[in-house]
Amino acid sequence: MIKQNHTKILLCITISLLLFFGCSPKSSQKRTSIAIFVPGIVSGSPVYEMLVTGVTDAINRHNEVLQQNGKQNLVELSVFEAGTNQAEWSSKMTALVSSGLHDLIISSNPSLPDLIAPLTAQFPEQKFIILDAFYEGNNSIKTVRYNQREQAWLCGYMAAITTNAQKSEMPFANKHKKIALIAAQEYPVMNNIILPGFIEGAQAFDKDIDVEFRLVGNWYDASKASDIAHSLFSNGVDVILPICGGASQGVIAAAKKLGFYITWFDNNGFAKAPENIISSSVIQQKKLAFELTTEFLSGKIDYSIPKIVGIQDGYVDFIQDDPIYIKTVHESIRNLIAQKFDDIKTGKIILPSQ
Ligand code: RBF
């Protein structure tokens, strides 16, 4: 009698479990969830601003189509800002992954794949797309990196023409041949690609250019970046490339106050200081984030193979049609840089991404 009851109870539990996991309407209604992990803060960092906009646009577009087709399971988006304390990124990423709530975690930063790779064995279902990064041989991590030597080379070339220009052409140009890069911190892509690319571009125009390199120490201290810019200016620097996230605001403020030029990196920066920003050497991170999110949502991502994209692919660009650029930069300078851009695009100049 007791044994019979046991069998009945077991059968009941089995049926309930089958109903719950196998046939329950709940499981078929599971919504796709995407999380953006921001290693830093979004505001003031062009790479992260473009990441968030691109992913958001792709999800909105996808959801519009779902709604038009009468579907209700819209894709969910969450944005996590991990903040500027880099020592906390690993534990914050681990917490996000182990929550198990997100089908995809998308981010941007060359340092992230090394931090994520150990997690992929423990959480094999979790998929990652990391932009501005390169990582081979992990089927859970898709990476795409830009040819930043091209991006930095054009900046350097532009800075070198400008520091050599006559005051009649470029009023903030002084008699010294001195330009500078202010970075937030040292990291492999900065030390091996961006800084050398900037120097090589400058020296391709004039081999006697003096290129200064300074560090802020973090991605947010605008007042320290401004102090560095002041000291560079007083030592004869008249063109600065800032790559320091939110701290770049300090370089812009100094340029407006003192009167020097800025070559801007990553997105279109002309409107930030129309008289001082003479170029925008950009990566199409918004477009790439949009495309990869859309590919993920349609199940078409190839995870294993990392990609490097540059000017020829349309993901690195030098903005030449902005009215502020046309107004601020003398025509003779615009013609010189346009020629170099075309030389890279047509393969006459080849700049390796490594
Ligand atoms: N770029 C930013 O604009 N903001 C940041 O907060 C930021 N943090 C970074 C942290 C690390 C550890 C590394 C390696 C890079 C960071 N970058 C940041 C730089 C970014 O990846 C890219 O190299 C530059 O924006 C130039 O394209």
Side-chain angles (χ1 to χ4, degrees):
M1 182 66 178
I2 293 177
K3 203 177 174 197
Q4 236 181 1
N5 270 348
H6 250 120
T7 315
K8 270 188 192 160
I9 291 167
L10 265 179
L11 198 68
C12 271
I13 292 174
T14 312
I15 289 169
S16 318
L17 285 175
L18 271 175
L19 278 174
F20 188 74
F21 288 114
C23 327
S24 139
K26 255 189 178 168
S27 64
S28 62
Q29 274 178 11
K30 186 188 173 305
R31 292 171 71 163
T32 300
S33 170
I34 295 182
I36 304 177
F37 181 90
V38 179
I41 42 178
V42 179
S43 176
S45 289
V47 276
Y48 301 150
E49 289 168 353
M50 292 187 282
L51 170 74
V52 172
T53 319
V55 175
T56 307
D57 287 355
I59 292 176
N60 286 343
R61 175 78 61 85
H62 185 85
N63 283 344
E64 271 168 32
V65 176
L66 288 180
Q67 276 173 321
Q68 280 159 12
N69 293 322
K71 304 246 169 69
Q72 273 154 19
N73 292 340
L74 303 186
V75 176
E76 291 172 329
L77 172 66
S78 321
V79 181
F80 294 90
E81 277 187 324
T84 51
N85 183 351
Q86 294 171 11
E88 291 176 356
W89 290 357
S90 185
S91 59
K92 287 187 173 171
M93 177 61 90
T94 307
L96 187 63
V97 173
S98 53
S99 76
L101 292 173
H102 309 288
D103 302 279
L104 171 70
I105 296 175
I106 181 160
S107 187
S108 164
N109 194 293
S111 72
L112 280 188
D114 282 338
L115 190 148
I116 289 167
L119 294 172
T120 58
Q122 203 185 340
F123 301 96
E125 299 298 311
Q126 182 69 64
K127 294 296 185 195
F128 300 89
I129 296 175
I130 314 296
L131 307 184
D132 184 25
F134 189 87
Y135 198 79
E136 276 172 309
N138 188 313
N139 283 334
S140 300
I141 311 176
K142 168 79 183 173
T143 54
V144 181
R145 166 171 115 192
Y146 305 95
N147 185 334
Q148 293 201 293
R149 192 175 294 269
E150 292 177 343
Q151 188 190 3
W153 193 97
L154 286 168
C155 256
Y157 198 87
M158 182 69 188
I161 312 172
T162 306
T163 194
N164 267 296
Q166 299 300 313
K167 270 203 175 298
S168 55
E169 290 176 349
M170 300 298 287
F172 296 146
N174 61 27
K175 62 182 192 315
H176 306 285
K177 294 179 179 196
K178 275 190 172 182
I179 62 173
L181 194 169
I182 303 180
Q185 67 176 99
E186 293 192 82
Y187 51 99
V189 173
M190 174 56 67
N191 292 359
N192 304 331
I193 297 172
I194 298 177
L195 176 61
F198 185 64
I199 296 171
E200 287 157 19
Q203 292 181 343
F205 182 76
D206 179 345
K207 62 175 179 30
D208 296 327
I209 295 278
D210 175 3
V211 184
E212 302 285 322
F213 181 58
R214 295 283 188 281
L215 295 171
V216 179
N218 60 59
W219 295 89
Y220 55 84
D221 192 344
S223 128
K224 179 144 183 231
S226 163
D227 289 349
I228 295 170
H230 271 77
S231 119
L232 287 166
F233 176 79
S234 60
N235 282 310
V237 168
D238 52 7
V239 188
I240 295 180
L241 164 60
I243 304 182
C244 40
S248 299
Q249 286 307 320
V251 182
I252 294 174
K256 286 180 177 167
K257 185 171 156 210
L258 302 171
F260 63 80
Y261 290 116
I262 289 176
T263 48
W264 191 251
F265 217 59
D266 289 341
N267 66 354
N268 184 336
F270 290 113
K272 293 178 195 293
E275 286 174 21
N276 307 88
I277 297 195
I278 47 163
S279 64
S280 294
S281 204
V282 303
I283 50 175
Q284 301 294 2
Q285 167 119 316
K286 180 177 144 194
K287 175 178 151 191
L288 188 61
F290 181 94
E291 289 169 355
L292 288 174
T293 306
T294 305
E295 281 175 32
F296 171 80
L297 290 169
S298 53
K300 286 191 199 142
I301 292 262
D302 176 0
Y303 284 91
S304 56
I305 303 163
K307 254 193 352 194
I308 304 175
V309 290
I311 286 179
Q312 288 188 344
D313 314 281
Y315 291 91
V316 173
D317 202 357
F318 189 88
I319 295 178
Q320 299 184 58
D321 59 358
D322 192 294
I324 300 175
Y325 174 65
I326 295 165
K327 184 164 174 244
T328 317
V329 179
H330 194 271
E331 191 185 1
S332 60
I333 298 179
R334 281 188 275 121
N335 290 341
L336 282 172
I337 196 84
Q339 183 60 54
K340 290 297 156 189
F341 180 84
D342 289 346
D343 286 350
I344 298 173
K345 195 162 188 175
T346 56
K348 198 167 161 194
I349 295 177
I350 294 170
L351 302 169
S353 65
Q354 304 295 330

